[in-house]
Amino acid sequence: MERGKEQGMVVMPHQNPLEQLQAKFKEVENNFRGWLAKQSLPVEAAVVTTTSAAQGAAIGAFMGTLTNDVSSSLPTPPQASLDPQAMASLKQAQALSGGPLVQARNFAVMTGLNAGISCVMKRLRGKEDVQSSMVAAFGSGAMFSLVSGMGGPNQIANAATSGLFFALVQGGLFQLGQKFSQPPAEDVYYSRTRSMLSSLGLQNYEKNFKKGLLTDSTLPLLTDSALRDVKIPPGPRLLILDHIQRDPGLKEKHGRRR
């Protein structure tokens, strides 16, 4: 009798605590983004700029501790003893090797302004593309040059040069990221399958579906034997079949195919 009860029980799969934490963080992040998208442009830009500046300040402070305030060990000779180009190079070295507070300020300005401009561009243009990314990078690069003291004697020209350099680098990285972030063509046929497995906490079995060519179109036709053939254990099989039976859209498709 007890054995029969055990066989009738649905064994819930054990989910990794780290995966649960990641899923919870993702949910909070999505809720925050949803709330932010409903705000006015000034509010959204201010929040995005502030949060990104705080993150940049933390990164800059950490990097500043690694440099151990090298700028203090760099003596500043009298300006009369150096030509303007050499003095500008020395100031640039001091700016890049500053302590935690200096680097926190520099990175806060750079990351905050970059995120703020990107936010405004995305709202105004209705999309996030390489042009918006390059405009944001130009603005943050130019301001970073001015704030960090890397401008030298001709700050405006150097700020423009720094902004152009930042824009070209970020534009290239954006294009590279777009190229490699596109999912493989076969993933298009597993969007609904992926969503179902994710809701059941069975993401690890997506590879089993792909090995057996069980695409989204085959979901209404799934049987216990088909899932067994792709080496999915009994507990997850029961959860998947129960989910399909409860899904009105899948049940309707299954009825039409009969």
Side-chain angles (χ1 to χ4, degrees), residues 175-219:
Q175 293 285 63
L176 196 63
Q178 287 287 94
K179 180 179 179 180
F180 286 100
S181 64
Q182 293 178 353
E186 65 172 10
D187 286 349
V188 176
Y189 303 105
Y190 294 93
S191 59
R192 189 160 190 174
T193 300
R194 189 180 305 109
S195 176
M196 176 191 70
L197 294 176
S198 178
S199 66
L200 297 174
L202 304 174
Q203 301 92 324
N204 293 337
Y205 295 108
E206 182 181 344
K207 60 181 180 297
N208 299 66
F209 275 75
K210 291 181 177 180
K211 286 181 180 179
L213 300 180
L214 300 177
T215 62
D216 290 350
S217 59
T218 66
L219 287 181

Side-chain angles (χ1 to χ4, degrees), residues 10-13 200 202 234-244:
V10 176
V11 181
M12 295 297 293
L200 297 174
L202 304 174
R237 290 204 307 264
L238 291 172
L239 292 175
I240 292 170
L241 294 174
D242 180 69
H243 177 86
I244 293 174

